[in-house]
Amino acid sequence: MEQNATELMLKGYGLTTAEFTYCMPDYIHVLNTFVWQEYDLAPDHPNLFKFIEFWQSELDGPLHSVRFSHRKMIAPGEWRNVVGEFTIN
């Protein structure tokens, strides 16, 4: 069953963004980049590693490097007490 983003975030998922740098299949000395984004669980990142395995087994361009970041989208709210009064004419 497909879950929406809010349900995933409430279960602890966060947004993982990965930048794949890979060699072009026909021009091995030319590097290109691909950006991938998916909701994933830190610190194991099962969706990211599943995608890397897919890349290595199914695609021709060998990976040069992978950089990724992970951010939980639902975090405790920030609260600050503001004391003041503004008069508008």
Side-chain angles (χ1 to χ4, degrees):
M1 183 173 162
E2 191 71 25
Q3 297 178 343
N4 67 27
T6 305
E7 291 172 342
L8 289 173
M9 287 185 281
L10 291 173
K11 291 181 179 179
Y13 283 74
L15 190 62
T16 300
T17 304
E19 178 188 33
F20 293 84
T21 303
Y22 63 97
C23 300
M24 298 291 289
D26 296 333
Y27 305 98
I28 200 71
H29 299 292
V30 177
L31 295 176
N32 201 2
T33 59
F34 174 76
V35 176
W36 175 88
Q37 228 177 20
E38 187 71 42
Y39 287 99
D40 210 352
L41 285 170
D44 296 331
H45 301 286
N47 291 338
L48 175 61
F49 286 110
K50 188 163 85 171
F51 184 75
I52 291 172
E53 290 173 4
F54 165 77
W55 186 295
Q56 292 174 335
S57 66
E58 301 294 327
L59 300 179
D60 291 333
L63 286 174
H64 176 270
S65 61
V66 177
R67 295 186 320 161
F68 71 95
S69 65
H70 180 83
R71 171 88 163 110
K72 285 201 176 232
M73 305 301 281
I74 295 180
E78 293 182 6
W79 182 86
R80 82 185 160 133
N81 187 16
V82 178
V83 178
E85 183 175 319
F86 295 98
T87 305
I88 299 175
N89 292 343

